[in-house]
């Protein structure tokens, strides 16, 4: 990450204003297509040619392309491993078991179901990453609410909010965390120790907001339908594999080994079991890694790097507060939250982390608070929210833009400000 903002060499084929205009225009097109997904194209269909264009025109130097690929390569490999791990956990029945547990615990009371969704979505996001909460848990929550006869909205909205907010805890919980982890200079366990208090505070604040905001929906009586299905068996093999993978993150970090190896081992165990039992083919395993989405992440990183090289870094560098005092952390988190909603949280973290790294690990973690909690304000704030919206539509459940934004306007400051205070307190007690 260091040296991320070295200037573009003088031998490029475009002059500076043209390179700046082209790279910004391409970023807007890439993000716009990721939001709209014309013709249901994968995000990579537009992003990969856009990355090729900034390379061919010299808006980004070849050296910087290689540096960006080298930087993002391990992160993308890790993401692939976690996606495979989550997919085969689903095949083992982990999420069906989660749904059965939620229904039993909620006992036809919508308020208790919301508490169960908050607990489960927070744990799944932290351990299996936000994609697992969006792609795998959200449909289970829909099914559970339907089985209980409860209004699904509060519980389904909780999935998307927690896929962002609850992804603060571990370096592996969110792609943004992985991108920031190496720049923070922290070990895996120290990162988690500093983030546990902000994580709890932010989730608690969201919970209070949800209870009040959806009081009418949660107060409506559930109309349960008869459930004749046998409860699914507890998927012990998947649970033990996930537990060992999580322990592997801690052990690998203590020995200076990239946690991606632990994720890859967990994914390999579950994928091999599925292959041996003929429940999956090699092609299924490859698809579980979402190669098109991984290509999109790499291409987006290159386009953002072109924008950064051509002036954005200088502009943001003047706005970003220095230091790691409370006011500076609040300013950094606020700027990160605003930027995440303007250009999506992934580009925002790619731009801000190199700028914040000079002020120490506290500043880097404040950026994460902003880019992980902030995206709950708008649809385009994070890729997770975009993905969630598609899943909600697939269940023929509309999302009211005004209501979504109104909830975000209350929940984001309510969670972000106390989370920054909690981070500052953690830094005072534990040290950066």
């Amino acid at each position: 990450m260091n040296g991320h903002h070295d200037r573009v060499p003088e031998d490029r084929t475009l002059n500076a204003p043209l390179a700046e205009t082209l790279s910004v225009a391409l970023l807007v097109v890439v993000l716009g297509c990721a939001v709209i997904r014309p013709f249901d194209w994968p995000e990579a269909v537009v992003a990969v040619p856009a990355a090729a264009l900034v390379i061919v025109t010299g808006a980004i130097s070849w050296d910087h392309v290689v540096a960006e690929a080298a930087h993002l390569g391990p992160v993308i490999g890790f993401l692939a491993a976690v996606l495979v791990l989550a997919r085969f956990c689903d095949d083992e029945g982990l999420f069906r078991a989660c749904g059965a547990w939620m229904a039993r615990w909620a006992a036809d009371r919508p308020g208790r179901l919301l508490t169960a969704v908050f607990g489960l979505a927070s744990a799944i996001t932290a351990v299996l990453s936000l994609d697992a909460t969006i792609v795998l848990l959200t449909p289970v929550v829909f099914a559970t609410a339907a089985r209980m006869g409860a209004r699904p909205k509060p519980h389904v909205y909780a999935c998307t909010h927690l896929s962002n907010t609850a992804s603060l805890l571990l370096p592996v919980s969110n792609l943004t965390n992985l991108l920031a982890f190496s720049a923070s200079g922290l070990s895996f366990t120290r990162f988690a120790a500093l983030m546990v208090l902000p994580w709890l505070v932010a989730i608690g604040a969201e919970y209070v907001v949800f209870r009040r905001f959806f009081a009418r929906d949660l107060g409506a009586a559930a109309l349960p339908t008869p459930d004749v299905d046998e409860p699914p068996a507890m998927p012990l093999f998947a649970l033990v594999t996930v537990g060992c993978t999580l322990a592997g993150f801690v052990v690998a970090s203590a020995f200076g080994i990239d946690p991606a190896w632990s994720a890859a081992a967990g994914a390999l165990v579950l994928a091999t079991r599925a292959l041996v039992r003929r429940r999956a083919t090699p092609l299924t395993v490859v698809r579980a890694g979402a190669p098109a989405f991984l290509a999109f992440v790499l291409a987006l990183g290159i386009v953002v790097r072109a924008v950064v090289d051509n002036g954005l870094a200088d502009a943001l560098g003047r706005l970003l507060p220095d230091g790691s005092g409370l006011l500076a952390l609040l300013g950094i988190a606020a700027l990160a939250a605003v930027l995440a909603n303007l250009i999506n949280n992934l580009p925002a973290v790619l731009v801000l982390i190199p700028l914040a790294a000079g002020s120490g690990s506290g500043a880097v973690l404040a950026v994460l608070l902003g880019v992980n909690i902030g995206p709950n304000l708008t649809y385009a704030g994070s890729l997770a929210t975009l993905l969630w919206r598609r899943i909600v539509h697939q269940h023929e459940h509309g999302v009211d833009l005004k209501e979504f934004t109104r909830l975000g306007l209350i929940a984001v400051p309510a969670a972000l400000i106390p989370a920054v205070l909690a981070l500052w307190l953690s830094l005072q007690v534990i040290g950066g």
Side-chain angles (χ1 to χ4, degrees):
M1 255 346 232
N2 293 335
H4 200 77
H5 296 309
D6 297 342
R7 309 308 304 161
V8 172
E10 298 301 322
D11 60 350
R12 65 183 181 192
T13 51
L14 292 177
N15 62 36
L18 266 179
E20 186 177 336
T21 306
L22 177 71
S23 51
V24 169
L26 286 174
L27 178 60
V28 170
V29 170
V30 168
L31 292 177
C33 288
V35 173
I36 300 166
R37 283 182 45 105
F39 312 110
D40 282 336
W41 286 344
E43 294 89 345
V45 169
V46 174
V48 170
L53 199 55
V54 291
I55 296 169
V56 169
T57 57
I60 180 173
S61 72
W62 183 246
D63 286 347
H64 284 195
V65 174
V66 173
E68 200 62 35
H71 172 66
L72 285 176
V75 175
I76 290 171
F78 184 92
L79 179 64
V82 171
L83 288 173
V84 171
L85 184 69
R87 168 57 58 191
F88 285 103
C89 278
D90 186 37
D91 288 354
E92 291 277 337
L94 182 62
F95 293 91
R96 284 194 302 279
C98 288
W101 173 81
M102 283 192 294
R104 272 200 311 278
W105 194 81
D108 296 333
R109 290 160 63 187
R112 281 178 71 103
L113 177 61
L114 184 70
T115 308
V117 171
F118 259 74
L120 209 52
S122 299
I124 288 172
T125 299
V127 177
L128 287 176
S129 89
L130 74 174
D131 298 288
T133 298
I134 291 294
V135 178
L136 304 174
L137 184 65
T138 302
V140 170
V141 168
F142 261 118
T144 307
R147 194 190 308 164
M148 280 178 53
R151 295 180 183 176
K153 194 162 56 181
H155 318 292
V156 175
Y157 274 45
C159 287
T160 182
H161 269 242
L162 291 168
S163 72
N164 290 314
T165 302
S167 69
L168 292 168
L169 183 61
L170 302 177
V172 299
S173 306
N174 193 333
L175 192 53
T176 54
N177 300 14
L178 282 169
L179 290 166
F181 181 46
S182 60
S184 72
L186 298 167
S187 67
F188 190 97
T189 45
R190 200 169 186 81
F191 182 104
L194 284 169
M195 287 302 239
V196 67
L197 190 59
W199 182 70
L200 289 170
V201 165
I203 293 168
E206 289 258 12
Y207 182 74
V208 172
V209 169
F210 266 66
R211 289 301 297 235
R212 293 184 65 85
F213 191 87
F214 291 111
R216 185 178 296 175
D217 293 292
L218 295 172
L223 302 168
T225 54
D227 188 359
V228 294
D229 296 334
E230 288 288 321
M234 186 60 71
L236 276 180
F237 191 87
L239 280 174
V240 170
T241 305
V242 169
C244 290
T245 305
L246 197 56
F249 291 151
V250 177
V251 174
S253 178
F255 287 95
I257 301 168
D258 196 313
W261 290 107
S262 180
L268 189 64
V269 167
L270 286 186
T272 303
R273 177 175 156 95
L275 287 169
V276 169
R277 294 182 155 202
R278 298 183 184 280
R279 290 179 178 172
T281 64
L283 187 60
T284 317
V285 179
V286 172
R287 281 180 176 161
F293 184 71
L294 302 180
F296 165 72
V297 172
L298 178 60
L300 178 63
I302 290 170
V303 174
V304 169
R305 180 68 184 266
V307 177
V308 168
D309 285 349
N310 287 292
L312 182 61
D314 293 340
L316 286 171
R318 287 191 287 274
L319 289 174
L320 197 71
D322 287 325
S324 55
L326 179 57
L327 282 179
L329 295 180
L330 282 166
I332 292 168
L335 180 64
V338 170
L339 197 63
N341 284 289
L342 289 177
I343 65 170
N344 191 273
N345 66 344
L346 194 55
V349 82
L350 285 167
V351 173
L352 288 175
I353 288 298
L355 296 172
S359 294
S361 56
V364 172
L365 297 181
V367 170
L368 282 185
L369 294 185
V371 298
N372 289 356
I373 298 173
N376 283 329
L377 193 58
T378 64
Y379 274 153
S382 75
L383 295 173
T385 310
L386 297 174
L387 197 54
W388 171 82
R389 191 183 59 170
R390 287 219 306 273
I391 289 170
V392 169
H393 284 161
Q394 284 167 8
H395 284 77
E396 298 178 352
H397 188 86
V399 178
D400 183 337
L401 178 60
K402 280 184 185 171
E403 186 178 52
F404 185 93
T405 310
R406 197 157 49 86
L407 175 62
L409 281 170
I410 300 168
V412 168
L416 185 58
I417 294 169
V420 175
L421 284 168
L423 172 64
W424 177 80
L425 193 61
S426 298
L427 288 165
Q428 305 309 306
V429 175
I430 301 172

